């Protein structure tokens, strides 16, 4: 990995901050034994692993019964799948320990066999070597020891809370939300290496859970209905898909007078007909030899003497196609919801999770008191001892850069120490192409958004753009009303046809007014613009046209100017050139996004962006389709070649330096990704010109982490967070790496999360001060807002490109196809099937954008 030129930075004002890390005062360097665990029902085996909570419950019962008699009073910790750890051997290295245990669930007892075999011996002294900074030890080398410690620490939380991986939650701190869900508070625990110290990271967490209890009540909440009667005759395919999506992966209890206790089952799907119309052939046990055709509703009346209250509802299909009435089912407790939250649920989640830094810190300290690790026999057995208070570390506050606007601005330069400013009295630094050939497509009904209101907004937008330094020559563009439910591509062409265009001149812009935030409508519009029409589009919601404001119009102006080739603000050129060692520099960003869990047949998408000017303000984008869940970027060489050529096209100069910011990589993958992708970048350079070897600086960027910092002695901003420019590169950073945490943005609410940067390759020999200042100051150049952003712009743009990739996929046959099965007689529980394509190169390919947009910032 990259060696630090200067181990720590020194620039900026020094401050002490607290961090949500607790230091280990002691950890044992004795060997930890890793075991393979095979847990099966007696006399048979699981077809697939049952839920982790059952596996853990059976294993814990086995430990309680056999720890003293068969395990030598040894504590073992278990991952609830196939691996366990112990601080000493419980059987010989080549032996298999076989233990029997009886376990009861929902009133039904079952016997299980637990087999324990030694798999590996872990040496925790590797952790000592790593935190000491010894050469030759990498993050991946110490991961087995950290995992064992994580499980030992987590076992304390498992006693009273529901655990998912390293996160633990309780219903005692919860709130209901819409759609049959509720939100639970909890925390995460993770052992982290620091500089010559080992820490436990403790952070607050929030998750969505299924609301336990009546399934019928939950489904009514999904549809936002008051009674089941409202569903009579109204379960169409759309509602069936919505119901199936909620039931996907859900475990239910069946409870009625015909069975003992509660029977647990998983849902395969729902019947396509109501229970009083879904029939089968049945032989009454009291009348053998006389089979009859009965409906499901009749069967429950005859077999169990249960008269269903809602026979007009569909049934649930379980194992062996058994059918169960919804009204007799309950949602089992402690089940995490893994689907996508809707807008209302997301808003509730944000409100529920949002806590000021002081509140967050207090909750973390309360968690530590609650867990009381000092009294745990498990942590003692593994030789783990922790302090009881949060660690404090040194931070520095870097000065803000000077931001430059157009010369005609009332205030052409400013240095916003607070991380935010506004456009009053300012003009864009470089105006894009004058806007002359454009139209407005209104997809709201004219009675809801009349023509005079649309025209008034357009006038305000034009005036604001002109005041901001962007020229609009056509102040009265054609306004066309379209049908939201029609072919949107056709509606867009119709609006373009209303523009008085010279021969062979494409429209410059289509301003599209949407009545809502419907994702499918938005993606369809962008797909048509990106792949078929080749025009810039700017979407907006109708409500913003109903109540127009100059601030909103100014924000639109920044987006339009960027899409049409302009730049809005810039760093001082001499300052930027000094930061990059006075060398022409190509800034690049890369991100890989993966499909959601359970969507294995969807591709992963790599997005690569590269600057096309000396100032790192203009970018072009490349999209690469990858096999599902692949992390390494195939065809990166092709993408880098393209961006080298575009940089030369825009500057007439070859870059002598490439700064590559790579997002989407976990710490254990650093070596693999750096080695593979660095070679791809080098090959791209040599393929452009033999012997061409620009300097390459390769940084990994991590935003999804659990480290939080808390200012001390009221040194924070108005929200109580660290001020913009705060950088931490001591104590809790990783000795073997060149890494730092950076707060480059001003928090609006809640507890701010810094971005973690790792310099993995450093041809330019950047010092810590240089790379930190460069990265921070670039965050002031994000094109479409008047704030410094939390993520360096090349990565931020790569995120936007990846998000827009969904629009490219709308008509490509990629992803799930919601469907019902007419032959099976029920709607699939997953509500999905795989749509096949004839694409021979589906695995890996560069996704094309229309040539009119290909070199523009269409993604803004």
């Amino acid at each position: 990995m990259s060696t630090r030129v200067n181990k720590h930075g020194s620039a900026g004002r020094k401050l002490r901050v607290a961090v949500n890390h607790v230091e280990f005062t002691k950890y044992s360097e004795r060997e930890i034994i890793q075991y393979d665990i095979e847990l099966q029902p007696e006399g048979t085996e699981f077809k697939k692993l049952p839920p982790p909570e059952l596996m853990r419950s059976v294993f814990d019962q086995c430990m309680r019964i056999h720890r003293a008699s068969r395990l030598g009073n040894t504590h073992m910790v278990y991952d609830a799948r196939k691996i366990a750890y112990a601080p000493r051997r419980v059987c010989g290295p080549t032996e298999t320990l076989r233990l029997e245990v009886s376990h009861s669930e929902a009133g039904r007892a079952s016997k299980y066999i637990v087999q324990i075999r030694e798999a590996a011996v872990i040496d925790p002294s590797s952790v000592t070597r790593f935190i000491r900074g010894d050469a030759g030890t990498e993050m991946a080398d110490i991961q087995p020891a950290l995992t064992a410690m994580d499980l030992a620490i987590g076992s304390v939380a498992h006693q009273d809370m529901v655990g998912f991986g390293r996160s633990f939650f309780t219903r005692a701190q919860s709130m209901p939300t819409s759609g049959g869900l509720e939100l639970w508070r909890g925390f995460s625990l993770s052992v982290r290496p620091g500089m010559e110290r080992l820490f436990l990271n403790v952070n607050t967490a929030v998750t969505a859970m299924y609301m336990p209890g009546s399934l019928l009540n939950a489904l009514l909440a999904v549809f936002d209905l008051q009674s089941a009667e409202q569903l009579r005759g109204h379960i169409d395919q759309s509602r069936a898909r919505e119901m199936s999506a909620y039931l996907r992966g859900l475990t239910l209890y069946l409870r009625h007078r015909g069975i003992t206790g509660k029977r647990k089952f998983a849902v395969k799907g729902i019947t396509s007909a109501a229970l009083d119309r879904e029939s089968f052939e049945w032989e009454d046990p009291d009348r053998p030899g006389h089979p009859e055709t009965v409906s499901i509703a009749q069967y429950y009346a005859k077999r169990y003497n249960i008269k269903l209250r809602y026979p007009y509802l569909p049934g649930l299909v379980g194992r062996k196609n058994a059918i169960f009435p919804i009204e007799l089912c309950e949602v089992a407790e402690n089940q995490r919801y893994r689907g996508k939250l809707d807008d209302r649920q997301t808003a509730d989640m944000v409100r529920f999770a949002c806590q000021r830094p002081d509140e967050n810190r207090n909750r973390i300290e309360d968690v530590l008191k609650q867990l009381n690790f000092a009294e745990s026999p498990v942590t003692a057995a593994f030789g783990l001892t922790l302090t009881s208070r949060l660690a404090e570390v040194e931070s520095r506050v870097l000065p803000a850069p000077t931001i430059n606007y157009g010369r005609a601005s009332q205030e052409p330069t400013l240095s916003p120490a607070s991380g935010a400013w506004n456009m009053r009295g300012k003009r864009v630094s470089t105006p894009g192409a004058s806007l002359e050939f454009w139209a407005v497509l209104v997809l709201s009904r004219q009675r809801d958004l009349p023509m005079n209101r649309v025209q008034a907004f357009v006038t305000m937008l034009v005036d604001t753009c002109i005041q901001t330094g962007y020229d609009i020559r056509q102040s009265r563009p054609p306004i066309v009303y379209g049908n939201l439910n029609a072919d949107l591509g056709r509606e867009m062409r119709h609006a373009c046809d209303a523009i008085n265009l010279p021969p062979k001149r494409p429209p410059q812009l289509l301003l599209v007014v949407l009545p809502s935030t419907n994702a499918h409508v938005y993606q369809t519009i962008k797909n048509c613009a990106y792949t078929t029409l080749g025009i810039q589009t700017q979407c907006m919601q109708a409500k913003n046209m109903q109540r127009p404001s100059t601030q909103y119009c100014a924000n639109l102006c920044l987006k339009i100017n960027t899409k049409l080739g302009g730049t809005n603000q810039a760093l001082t050129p001499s300052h930027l050139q000094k930061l990059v060692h006075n060398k022409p520099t190509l800034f690049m960003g890369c991100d890989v996004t993966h499909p959601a869990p359970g969507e294995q047949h969807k591709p992963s998408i790599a997005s690569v962006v590269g600057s096309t000017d000396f100032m790192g303000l203009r970018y072009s984008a490349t999209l690469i389709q990858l096999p599902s869940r692949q992390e390494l970027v195939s065809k990166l060489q092709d993408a880098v070649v393209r961006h080298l050529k575009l940089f030369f096209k825009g500057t007439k100069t070859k870059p002598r330096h490439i700064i590559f910011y790579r997002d989407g990589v976990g710490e254990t993958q650093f070596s693999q990704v750096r080695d593979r992708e660095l070679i791809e970048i080098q090959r791209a350079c040599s393929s452009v010109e033999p012997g061409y070897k620009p300097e390459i600086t390769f940084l990994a960027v991590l935003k999804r982490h659990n480290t939080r910092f808390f200012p001390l002695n009221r040194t924070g901003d108005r929200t109580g967070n660290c001020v913009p420019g705060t950088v931490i590169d001591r104590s809790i950073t990783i000795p073997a790496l060149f890494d730092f945490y950076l707060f480059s943005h001003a928090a609006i609410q809640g507890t701010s999360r810094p971005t973690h940067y790792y310099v993995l390759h450093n041809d330019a020999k950047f010092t810590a001060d240089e790379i930190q200042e460069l990265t921070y100051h670039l965050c002031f150049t994000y094109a479409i807002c008047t704030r410094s952003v939390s993520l360096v712009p090349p990565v931020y743009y790569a995120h936007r490109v990846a998000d827009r990739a969904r629009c490219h996929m709308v008509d490509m046959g990629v992803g799930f196809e919601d469907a019902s099965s007419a032959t099976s007689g029920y709607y699939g529980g997953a509500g999905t099937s795989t749509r096949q394509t004839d694409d021979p190169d589906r695995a890996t390919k560069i996704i094309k954008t229309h040539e009119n947009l290909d070199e523009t910032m269409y993604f803004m």
Side-chain angles (χ1 to χ4, degrees):
M1 291 293 173
S2 177
T3 302
R4 294 174 189 253
V5 178
N6 285 351
K7 188 166 177 131
H8 304 299
S10 58
R13 177 169 48 98
K14 293 181 180 179
L15 291 173
R16 297 287 289 177
V17 293
V19 60
N20 62 341
H21 285 42
V22 180
E23 186 179 349
F24 282 90
T25 55
K26 175 187 172 186
Y27 63 92
S28 173
E29 293 191 357
R30 295 194 311 266
E31 291 179 339
I32 297 173
I33 314 301
Q34 177 178 324
Y35 290 96
D36 286 339
I37 304 298
E38 185 176 331
L39 192 158
Q40 298 289 356
E42 185 180 51
T44 182
E45 59 182 38
F46 294 121
K47 291 183 178 178
K48 65 176 183 178
L49 284 179
E53 56 268 24
L54 173 62
M55 302 283 280
R56 186 180 304 281
S57 183
V58 173
F59 187 85
D60 288 348
Q61 175 73 356
C62 181
M63 293 298 103
R64 283 190 290 271
I65 293 172
H66 296 292
R67 181 175 292 120
S69 60
R70 304 287 303 277
L71 301 173
N73 279 319
T74 302
H75 287 275
M76 300 185 73
V77 292
Y78 177 48
D79 71 351
R81 306 321 282 158
K82 293 186 175 183
I83 297 174
Y85 300 90
R88 59 176 180 263
R89 282 193 167 90
V90 298
C91 61
T94 60
E95 295 177 1
T96 297
L97 186 61
R98 189 176 187 273
L99 304 175
E100 297 181 2
V101 61
S102 179
H103 179 264
S104 296
E105 185 182 27
R108 304 172 72 187
S110 302
K111 289 188 176 181
Y112 296 89
I113 305 298
V114 178
Q115 296 190 88
I116 302 174
R117 298 184 199 88
E118 185 172 314
V121 177
I122 297 168
D123 178 13
S125 67
S126 63
V127 175
T128 303
R129 293 191 296 274
F130 184 82
I131 64 178
R132 208 165 49 204
D134 291 2
T137 308
E138 297 194 352
M139 195 73 179
D141 299 327
I142 67 169
Q143 200 58 49
L146 297 185
T147 300
M149 294 179 190
D150 278 338
L151 285 176
I153 291 290
S155 68
V156 180
H158 268 298
Q159 295 171 10
D160 301 310
M161 307 188 79
V162 181
F164 305 101
R166 295 173 182 164
S167 298
F168 306 87
F169 302 91
T170 173
R171 199 183 183 199
Q173 300 175 29
S174 64
M175 67 164 277
T177 184
S178 58
L181 304 179
E182 52 191 19
L183 306 176
W184 288 20
R185 286 196 198 279
F187 54 86
S188 64
L189 302 172
S190 178
V191 179
R192 293 282 304 168
M195 289 189 169
E196 298 188 354
R197 291 185 281 179
L198 191 66
F199 293 98
L200 176 66
N201 171 243
V202 186
N203 195 31
T204 55
V206 174
T207 193
M209 303 285 286
Y210 286 97
M211 187 175 291
S214 165
L215 175 62
L216 179 60
N217 289 342
L219 291 175
L220 290 177
V222 169
F223 297 124
D224 199 19
L225 300 176
Q226 299 301 312
S227 73
E229 185 64 32
Q230 292 173 277
L231 287 171
R232 185 192 290 269
H234 294 292
I235 299 184
D236 54 14
Q237 286 203 14
S238 174
R239 274 189 168 162
R241 285 195 296 269
E242 197 172 349
M243 188 182 295
S244 293
Y246 179 82
L247 294 169
R248 188 179 305 149
L250 187 61
T251 298
L252 301 173
Y253 285 125
L254 179 66
R255 192 173 191 176
H256 62 75
R257 287 169 291 186
I259 61 173
T260 303
K262 295 190 292 185
R263 182 186 303 166
K264 186 180 282 190
F265 73 99
V267 182
K268 283 173 57 179
I270 61 175
T271 59
S272 53
L275 293 175
D276 55 6
R277 297 201 304 276
E278 190 80 35
S279 59
F280 68 106
E281 195 171 89
W282 175 66
E283 188 175 293
D284 191 329
D286 297 331
R287 299 181 61 218
H290 295 83
E292 58 181 318
T293 299
V294 295
S295 68
I296 302 297
Q298 290 170 334
Y299 167 77
Y300 273 85
K302 293 186 176 189
R303 181 73 176 88
Y304 300 116
N305 197 28
I306 296 175
K307 183 178 180 181
L308 298 180
R309 296 178 60 192
Y310 311 108
Y312 48 82
L313 295 179
L316 306 179
V317 182
R319 285 185 59 208
K320 300 180 180 178
N321 289 344
I323 298 174
F324 307 107
I326 290 172
E327 63 190 82
L328 301 182
C329 295
E330 295 178 1
V331 179
E333 64 279 357
N334 299 337
Q335 294 189 80
R336 195 177 195 178
Y337 179 72
R338 299 187 180 276
K340 182 176 171 60
L341 299 179
D342 62 26
D343 290 346
R344 182 174 167 188
Q345 292 163 342
T346 300
D348 285 344
M349 175 74 87
V350 170
R351 282 193 295 270
F352 189 60
C354 184
Q355 292 184 299
R356 286 180 55 87
D358 54 345
E359 297 170 338
N360 218 1
R361 179 177 177 176
N362 290 339
R363 278 190 47 76
I364 290 169
E365 291 173 338
D366 289 344
V367 164
L368 290 170
K369 291 176 185 175
Q370 173 192 341
L371 293 174
N372 192 14
F373 291 114
E375 300 298 321
S376 166
V378 179
T379 56
F382 279 83
L384 304 175
T385 308
L386 295 117
T387 60
S388 58
R389 60 193 298 271
L390 299 186
E392 294 182 9
V393 299
E394 181 183 288
S395 72
R396 291 172 292 110
V397 181
L398 305 178
T402 298
I403 303 299
N404 295 267
Y405 278 93
R407 293 180 180 176
S409 303
Q410 294 176 16
E411 186 185 10
T413 63
L414 70 154
S415 184
S418 65
W421 61 99
N422 59 57
M423 285 295 294
R424 282 195 294 272
K426 300 177 184 64
R427 289 173 166 259
V428 297
S429 59
T430 308
S434 297
L435 186 56
E436 184 174 1
F437 305 109
W438 65 300
V440 181
L441 173 60
V442 184
L443 293 176
S444 291
R445 294 176 300 184
Q446 190 165 357
R447 67 184 182 188
D448 297 328
L449 196 61
M451 178 69 77
N452 62 344
R453 187 154 293 172
V454 178
Q455 187 59 63
F457 176 85
V458 170
T459 300
M460 178 180 284
L461 175 63
V462 170
D463 290 345
T464 304
C465 287
I466 292 172
Q467 292 167 14
T468 310
Y470 177 60
D471 181 37
I472 299 185
R473 294 181 182 174
Q474 174 53 271
S475 61
R476 295 187 66 85
I479 298 170
V480 178
Y481 284 85
N483 183 353
L484 186 68
N485 299 313
D487 180 338
L488 292 176
R490 187 184 63 206
E491 300 298 290
M492 293 170 70
R493 290 187 188 89
H494 179 57
C496 292
D497 290 342
I499 305 171
N500 185 19
L501 290 169
K504 297 184 179 181
R505 176 70 186 262
Q508 292 176 282
L509 178 74
L510 192 60
L511 179 65
V512 183
V513 185
L514 304 173
S516 69
T517 57
N518 184 292
H520 182 73
V521 171
Y522 177 85
Q523 289 173 1
T524 302
I525 288 169
K526 292 295 184 180
N527 172 268
C528 188
Y530 295 163
T531 62
T532 307
L533 296 179
I535 58 171
Q536 301 285 1
T537 52
Q538 180 59 56
C539 294
M540 62 172 291
Q541 289 187 54
K543 67 178 183 181
N544 293 311
M545 193 168 272
Q546 297 277 15
R547 299 180 297 277
S549 71
T550 52
Q551 181 178 345
Y552 180 80
C553 289
N555 290 339
L556 280 188
C557 173
L558 296 182
K559 292 184 177 184
I560 294 169
N561 186 48
T562 301
K563 289 174 180 176
L564 293 182
T567 61
N568 296 323
Q569 73 264 16
L571 298 176
T572 303
S574 59
H575 172 66
L576 178 62
Q577 289 308 306
K578 179 183 176 183
L579 289 177
V580 296
H581 299 175
N582 296 305
K583 296 173 183 175
T585 299
L586 167 61
F587 296 99
M588 298 192 70
C590 177
D591 185 28
V592 177
T593 56
H594 301 293
E599 300 182 345
Q600 290 87 352
H601 69 280
K602 284 189 176 182
S604 292
I605 297 293
S607 51
V608 182
V609 302
S611 58
T612 58
D613 66 338
F614 288 120
M615 296 297 296
L617 301 175
R618 300 289 311 162
Y619 284 80
S620 58
T622 305
L623 274 171
I624 306 171
Q625 180 175 300
L626 302 174
S628 184
R629 315 213 73 77
Q630 177 176 306
E631 187 56 58
L632 295 174
V633 181
S634 305
K635 292 189 176 294
L636 179 61
Q637 178 179 337
D638 295 344
V640 174
V641 166
R642 177 172 182 265
H643 289 291
L644 286 169
K645 291 179 177 178
L646 289 174
F647 183 88
F648 184 83
K649 181 178 179 179
T651 64
K652 308 305 179 193
T653 305
K654 288 181 300 193
R656 292 172 56 199
H657 186 194
I658 298 172
I659 301 181
F660 193 93
Y661 289 95
R662 174 68 154 90
D663 196 9
V665 184
E667 288 177 328
T668 58
Q669 300 169 304
F670 282 170
S671 295
Q672 181 186 17
V673 169
R674 177 208 57 195
D675 293 345
R676 166 79 176 271
E677 296 183 0
L678 185 61
I679 290 173
E680 292 279 301
I681 298 170
Q682 292 167 337
R683 286 175 177 169
C685 296
S686 60
S687 72
V688 169
E689 181 180 297
Y692 173 49
K693 295 181 178 180
E695 294 174 345
I696 299 171
T697 302
F698 192 109
L699 295 92
V701 182
L702 195 61
K703 186 69 174 174
R704 296 191 186 105
H705 60 79
N706 286 314
T707 300
R708 303 291 183 272
F709 297 92
F710 309 105
L712 300 174
N713 304 320
R714 298 184 179 180
T715 55
D717 64 10
R718 61 179 182 80
T719 67
N721 282 289
C722 293
V723 297
T726 300
V727 64
I728 299 95
D729 62 2
R730 299 169 187 268
S731 301
I732 63 161
T733 50
I734 299 172
L737 299 181
F738 182 172
D739 64 317
F740 58 92
Y741 292 90
L742 175 64
F743 288 90
S744 54
H745 65 298
I748 298 174
Q749 61 179 358
T751 302
S752 186
R753 177 177 6 202
T755 301
H756 197 174
Y757 294 92
Y758 308 76
V759 184
L760 303 186
H761 188 80
N762 189 13
D763 281 342
K765 294 183 171 51
F766 277 121
T767 65
D769 280 334
E770 288 172 335
I771 194 65
Q772 290 165 7
E773 185 178 6
L774 172 62
T775 300
Y776 175 45
H777 287 186
L778 285 175
C779 292
F780 285 76
T781 65
Y782 185 65
I784 59 172
C785 68
T786 53
R787 305 180 67 89
S788 56
V789 290
S790 63
L791 203 55
V792 69
V795 171
Y796 212 140
Y797 295 146
H799 282 189
R800 289 187 69 95
V801 174
D803 185 59
R804 295 299 186 270
R806 299 192 193 107
C807 307
H808 286 271
M809 300 296 187
V810 169
D811 292 327
M812 290 176 61
V814 175
F816 278 149
E817 177 186 12
D818 290 321
S820 63
S821 171
T823 56
S824 64
Y826 64 88
Y827 295 110
T832 62
S833 67
T834 305
R835 182 187 298 170
Q836 301 296 323
T837 76
D838 296 323
D839 183 0
D841 188 25
R842 176 169 181 169
T844 303
K845 65 179 179 181
I846 290 181
I847 302 170
K848 299 293 185 183
T849 304
H850 196 285
E851 61 182 0
N852 292 351
L853 305 179
D854 198 32
E855 299 177 13
T856 73
M857 295 181 73
Y858 67 89
F859 46 85
M860 298 306 289

